[in-house]
Every structure is written in C-alpha cells, then in structure tokens.
Amino acid sequence: MEILAQYGQVLVFVAALFGFFMAYGVGANDVANAMGTSVGSKALTLKQALIIAAVFEASGAWLAGGEVTSTIRSGIVDAAAFKDVPELLVYGMIGSLLAAGTWLLVATHYGWPVSTTHSIVGAIIGFASVGVGMDYVHWDSVGGIVGSWVITPLLSGVLAFLIFMSAQRFIFDTDNPLKAAKKYVPYYMFFAAYIMSYVTVTKGLKHVGLDLSTNEGILLCVAIAFVVALIGAIAISRLKIDPDADKEMHFNNVEKIFGILMIFTACCMAFAHGSNDVANAIGPLAAVVGIIQSGGQILDKVSLDWWILPLGAVGIVVGLATLGAKVIQTIGENITHLTPSRGFAAEIAAATTVVVASGMGLPISTTQTLVGAVLGVGMARGIAALNLGVIRNIFVSWVVTLPVGAFLSIVFFYVIKNTMEML
C-alpha cells in the first residue's frame, strides 16, 4: 500500500506507456481481421485499406470502446486473491501489457496473425500463477479458450465454404452470370448488411447510450439491411453491360459488385473490432489507474479517465500504419488466392461466427475466425489452393500464444516487483 501511495504516479505513467505499446501491437497484428481479405482480393489497395482502417478502428475505439470497463472480473483470475496485496496486481497488469505487446510485435514481424485476446489472457494467467498461486486461476475458462482453437476456425470455415459455393452455384456457374448477379446479389447484400449492422450494434455501440433490447436491435438491423439491399438492387439494375460480351467480362463485373460489398463489410468490421479489442490494451491500464486512485482498493469495475480511450485509439492507428501490412499480406495473399467474391464470403462467415459465438457465450478470437473462413474459401477450390506451410506456421503461433504470454508476463512481473522493492 505504501509503495502505491509513494510511487503511484510513476506506476500510472509506466502502465500508460505499456498500454500504448499493447495498443500498438493490436493495431499492427489484429487489424488484418478487418482489412486482410479486402487487400488480398484487390477490392482495396493497401493504402486505401490503411486509411479506412485508421478512421474506423479509431472511431470504434474512441467512441464505443466503453465508458466503463470490467477489468478484473474477466473470468480468468479471482481478483479477491489480491485484496491484501494490491501492488502485486498493479505489477502484474503492467507486466502483462508489456508481455502481450512484445509477443504481438514478434508475431507481426513474422507475419503471424495471432489473437490479441489470448495474448493478454495468457499474460494475466502467468503473473497470477506466481503472484498469488495457480489455485486462483479459473482453468475451466482457459480450457474453453483452448477448445476455441478448433471450434472457431472450423465453424467459420464451414460457413465460408457454404456461402462461396452458393455464389458459385447461383451466379458464376450460370449461362448469364451478370443477370444472375442482379437477381441474387441483393439477397447477399441483405444478409451482409444484417450481420454487419448486428455486429456493430451489439459489439460497437453498446456503450454510447444506444440502449436497445434484443428485439429492438434485431428490428433496427433488419431495417438497415432492407435499405442497403434496396439501394444495392437499384444500383445493380442500372449497370449497363454488353450482353454479347464474353463470359470473362461478365465475371469481372460480378467481382466488382462483390468488391463494393467488401468495402462496406470492412468498414463495419474495423469499427466493431476497434470498439471491442481496444479493451485488451486499456483494460489492464484502467485496472492500474483504478487501484492507485482508490488507494489500493480492487474494484470489480472502474470508470475510465478521459485520456485512456484516446491513448488506445492512437496506439491502434500508429501500429496499423507502421507495421500492419505484414499480417494483412498473410491473411489476404499468403494463405490462398482471393477474389472479391471469395473475400466477401470469408468476411461474412467470420462476422456471422462472431455473432453466433457471442450469443452462445463462447470464447472467440476474431483472428482465428477469419483465418478459418479464408481456409474454408480456399478449400472450395481444393487442398492444392492452400499454402500449407503458411497454415502450419499460423496454427503453431496460435498454440504458443498462451504459454509465451504467460512466460513473458512472469519474467516482467518479477523484474517490476524486484525493482520496486529495491527503491
């Protein structure tokens, strides 16, 4: 307690520094969830994707990242264990931010898309295990995360496969692909708009005063989807294409339609991702600030100081702008060849999986969801269409994320603890 009173402001400054570092890692690695398929399918250039992602990731983080965040009651560690030693929780949260941020930068350097959520969860497990004992870690929650390594990619992969094969069946394999696109694409637009608006409303706008019941949220999303489909149907009906043009030209124009759809879905995914995953960086930071400001009390929930959300938003954007291209390339180009229709199928499958898993309360990684969806689209073209070497590296990086985060967190925890005791 005395250490917190004496060095509280220093600890807050260090936590803010490492919180920015963690947000930087989130932007560098996790933003590929929103932009990788758009760039890989050539719907957007890398520069366009970076600009769109910067705007919508920052908007989601800043506007809808949460006025109040549950930082301790995460279901991973029993915070009551730190009641008599709150300084250990402060050291651990600071060490966790540094550990998770370090692993994210290493993974980004090699182009591995890993889970920022699992990185910080592994880090928290690590310091808690040595700080107060392994008995205070909720291992059943950890088991659910391990199970998600298989369930999440499998579910999104199957969905992506089905969505892409339906487009193949109803549009691309017909005698007149453009005519078929004019007929069926509005239905895809309705489905896409509903799923993306649902993701945005439930994961992105729940903290900005939009207090909707489940039924009200569904009705709003249906209305948005109907308007989007109607506008899309009108726009597509006005396309003037030479009916005598060869089938390849028809294919190209259909892909352009899906490319426009992908820009819409990418914006929504970026907003929802920014609002959701910024908590991985600011949650531990808010916990440190809350403990120090309360004089050592550990609260279940803490109010965010005005500067915390902007710090996370800026960190995400800077990380995206400086290092985001590497993981974007892995998602969009290195796993399998993507076209706008394939990328659209992957993105919608990923968003649908997020909605389903969130509704069922399953632990989920948006990174693993999207990678699984891209794999599903690739499988629609046969196993030869997949780069198995890249896939192997990605899966290995997923498995080691939790233990690496835990190990680094333990090291940094002891370094910070011993440093503070020497002062």
Side-chain angles (χ1 to χ4, degrees), residues 336-360:
T336 191
H337 175 68
L338 291 177
T339 61
S341 57
R342 294 170 194 154
F344 170 77
E347 221 159 69
I348 289 303
T352 305
T353 304
V354 169
V355 170
V356 172
S358 297
M360 296 173 66

Side-chain angles (χ1 to χ4, degrees), residues 14 21 70 85 122 129 158 177 221 282 308 384 392 395 405:
V14 174
F21 179 60
S70 298
V85 282
S129 297
V158 169
C221 295
I282 68 170
I308 294 179
R392 181 196 65 234
F395 273 92

